Amino acid sequence: MAGGVAGILQPAEPRSLDPVNLSNTFSHQPVLGNALYGTLMVNNLDTLELEYKMATDFSTTDGGSTFTLVLQPGLTFTDETPFDAAAVKFNWDRLRDPALGGTAIRQAGQVSASEVVDPITLKITLRAPNPHFGQGLITNAMNWIASPTALQKGQQAFDANPVGAGPFTLVKWTRQDAIELERNPGYWDAPKPYLDRLTIRSTADTNQRFNALTTGMADLSSESSWSVLAKADASGFPTEVVPTGGGQFLGMNFRRAPFDDERARRAVVLATDLDAINAAVFGGEAAYPQTLFPQSSPYFVDVTLPTQDKQTAQKLFDELAAEGKPVTFTFLSYPSEESKAVAEALQAQLSAFAHVEAEVEVADFAAVTARAGARDFDMMISSAIVQDPDYALWTAFHGSSPGNFTGINDSELSAALDAGRVGTSVEERKTAYETVQKRLVALNPGLWYVLGAPSVISSKELHGIDLYTLGSPLPEELWITE
């Protein structure tokens, strides 16, 4: 069972190996972050309860105003410096710095202060109570702690020698080619990891990733395409899909024309045939959310998301044009084939209407991420893929959230999100999230076009696949048979 080399495919090449520049979702670099830095904690995908790894506790006794993190004693980084509460504080404090441009600020920015209580105990205070803070923490770089000593040497030195306490260490990073990792013999959870080496490559093209699996050039691929998942199932390749609500949506920027006018947002939503997008982009294999929560969710209510109404859409486009505000916008697309196909399918559909014009601009992952952070876009793919509803929905749609890329700022919506966050019973939270759903339908921050598919596809020889949060595999659990 022990030994061997696994080839890993991820969608996005990192800008840097610094955790601040990595993202722990299926569409970015989950295996890489988990491999280099290990994990403080994970969640059980069946119960969503937190389970502990390098941490032994993360809990609140005051309704989420403060949390206490307790670490395993005696942890060290691979540079032999202590992995202690002070190291976690250093990492979490820097993730709050907007100048670093990291996506983890969406969660780290909720922290107002942190205090080292003793070598293994850190207390944090939140800007506002959030009993579900841990569910968001594990989705980003707050879960990945690097050596402060190594980070303080600067990005160039750190990229050459990133220091964590994870199951693997860097051998070599050839940009735009491969990241080669080898087993960390001092990993805290011996005898893991089971593999000797990992070779991680990045490609935005989901079909190229699947072809690499079918030809034996890779063993594990992060995935998001329903059509490729269907091909994998048909070909007998194992797949693991994380069950979620919500999904991906085409976010429209409230901060500037044309989408600062609700009529423009509603017109685009009502003009779009989601079945046609499914056919064009996913070969008809995907589904799109008709309600924000699936019927199996305790928060389900029958508040349906808008569907196509061509006549009303054209009436709105005409109305705006008559006021001198024809709907003209640019779709900022990631370089992935799926993203470009969605953009082009929407552009083609809107071309059948008068007084609306959509252009498509394709940029690399780093550029799109930076422009999202700077709110420099008209329309782009965003997501609110829901496990526990607080993290995804509050982050995407609360008026004060750093992760609110669309700029939606509705007092009733924000109040309902706050109520859902602090509710102490399912009934309280369900009432709050019913209001959330009604306000989102009324305000149209985006066009919900596909259910999320946080997933992996693996070779038949790879075993031990263990996912947490939004499709993040634990590389220390992997093993290969001949």
Side-chain angles (χ1 to χ4, degrees):
M1 186 168 91
V5 180
I8 309 292
L9 299 174
Q10 61 186 15
E13 174 87 1
R15 289 183 292 163
S16 163
L17 300 183
D18 182 338
V20 76
N21 292 315
L22 303 178
S23 182
N24 193 15
T25 69
F26 62 101
S27 57
H28 290 89
Q29 305 94 9
V31 176
L32 177 61
N34 291 331
L36 288 173
Y37 305 110
T39 53
L40 291 172
M41 55 194 117
V42 299
N43 64 349
N44 182 303
L45 293 181
D46 293 323
T47 67
L48 297 185
E49 294 294 323
L50 292 178
E51 298 177 351
Y52 298 105
K53 296 293 186 179
M54 290 188 286
T56 62
D57 186 48
F58 186 71
S59 58
T60 178
T61 58
D62 55 13
S65 293
T66 63
F67 280 82
T68 299
L69 174 76
V70 181
L71 299 172
Q72 292 197 33
L75 294 174
T76 59
F77 296 107
T78 56
D79 61 2
E80 300 184 354
T81 60
F83 185 134
D84 56 12
V88 178
K89 174 178 169 59
F90 179 90
N91 278 259
W92 286 3
D93 284 353
R94 70 191 294 267
L95 291 177
R96 293 158 53 194
D97 181 359
L100 293 178
T103 58
I105 195 173
R106 293 176 292 187
Q107 192 73 4
Q110 295 183 44
V111 179
S112 63
S114 57
E115 173 192 357
V116 174
V117 177
D118 61 43
I120 62 169
T121 309
L122 180 70
K123 180 179 179 180
I124 62 170
T125 301
L126 302 187
R127 299 184 186 280
N130 179 2
H132 313 285
F133 185 79
Q135 294 290 338
L137 185 158
I138 60 174
T139 68
N140 58 62
M142 290 189 77
N143 208 27
W144 296 330
I145 306 303
S147 162
T149 301
L151 287 169
Q152 288 169 327
K153 293 178 181 179
Q155 180 176 318
Q156 185 173 357
F158 189 86
D159 283 345
N161 184 29
V163 178
F168 293 88
T169 60
L170 182 71
V171 175
K172 183 181 181 182
W173 178 18
T174 304
R175 291 179 185 266
Q176 307 303 319
D177 183 15
I179 302 171
E180 299 175 44
L181 308 173
E182 66 182 1
R183 185 179 187 275
N184 173 10
Y187 183 56
W188 67 274
D189 195 14
K192 302 172 185 176
Y194 303 122
L195 295 172
D196 292 327
R197 296 174 72 95
L198 300 177
T199 300
I200 300 177
R201 289 186 165 86
S202 304
T203 176
D205 189 319
T206 184
N207 289 302
Q208 287 184 14
R209 294 197 299 271
F210 181 60
N211 289 340
L213 281 168
T214 61
T215 57
M217 297 177 63
D219 298 285
L220 184 73
S221 174
S222 291
E223 196 44 72
S224 61
S225 170
W226 288 105
S227 57
V228 171
L229 286 167
K231 285 198 295 185
D233 287 336
S235 302
F237 284 86
T239 62
E240 297 278 349
V241 182
V242 177
T244 61
Q248 293 173 214
F249 63 93
L250 307 183
M252 293 178 270
N253 193 342
F254 281 55
R255 299 174 180 85
R256 68 191 194 191
F259 297 129
D260 56 350
D261 191 313
E262 188 276 332
R263 293 172 297 172
R265 303 193 301 272
R266 183 156 37 108
V268 169
V269 170
L270 296 178
T272 306
D273 180 349
L274 294 175
D275 289 327
I277 286 185
N278 183 13
V281 180
F282 304 106
E285 298 289 349
Y288 49 83
Q290 297 177 330
T291 56
L292 199 58
F293 296 97
Q295 292 190 21
S296 59
S297 169
Y299 306 110
F300 170 80
V301 291
D302 192 16
V303 177
T304 56
L305 297 168
T307 55
Q308 187 180 40
D309 181 344
K310 290 183 177 181
Q311 184 176 358
T312 301
Q314 187 60 70
K315 182 178 178 181
L316 290 167
F317 288 135
D318 293 343
E319 184 179 306
L320 288 161
E323 296 174 14
K325 298 190 292 186
V327 176
T328 301
F329 68 94
T330 298
F331 188 127
L332 178 62
S333 172
Y334 289 98
S336 68
E337 292 304 312
E338 180 181 306
S339 177
K340 290 187 288 186
V342 171
E344 290 164 0
L346 179 68
Q347 182 185 45
Q349 287 196 33
L350 293 180
S351 68
F353 292 83
H355 308 307
V356 57
E357 183 176 345
E359 297 183 355
V360 177
E361 177 187 357
V362 180
D364 64 33
F365 277 95
V368 174
T369 300
R371 296 223 354 228
R375 282 47 173 175
D376 179 21
F377 67 94
D378 297 331
M379 175 184 281
M380 64 176 292
I381 291 177
S382 191
S383 67
I385 299 175
V386 178
Q387 290 183 327
D388 181 276
D390 172 68
Y391 172 69
L393 297 180
W394 197 100
T395 298
F397 302 120
H398 194 280
S400 66
S401 168
N404 177 356
F405 297 129
T406 65
I408 187 172
N409 191 7
D410 176 74
S411 58
E412 187 178 355
L413 173 61
S414 292
L417 288 166
D418 287 336
R421 165 167 286 184
V422 300
T424 57
S425 68
V426 170
E427 291 75 18
E428 285 181 300
R429 299 186 80 198
K430 182 175 181 178
T431 298
Y433 288 118
E434 181 174 358
T435 301
V436 168
Q437 292 170 79
K438 289 178 178 177
R439 294 308 296 157
L440 291 176
V441 168
L443 294 166
N444 288 302
L447 172 65
W448 299 84
Y449 73 96
V450 67
L451 285 168
S455 56
V456 294
I457 304 173
S458 65
S459 68
K460 299 168 188 177
E461 293 74 33
L462 188 72
H463 307 277
I465 296 170
D466 188 358
L467 306 181
Y468 73 100
T469 190
L470 295 179
S472 183
L474 295 170
E476 67 269 25
E477 304 290 343
L478 300 176
W479 53 280
I480 285 180
T481 55
E482 296 295 334

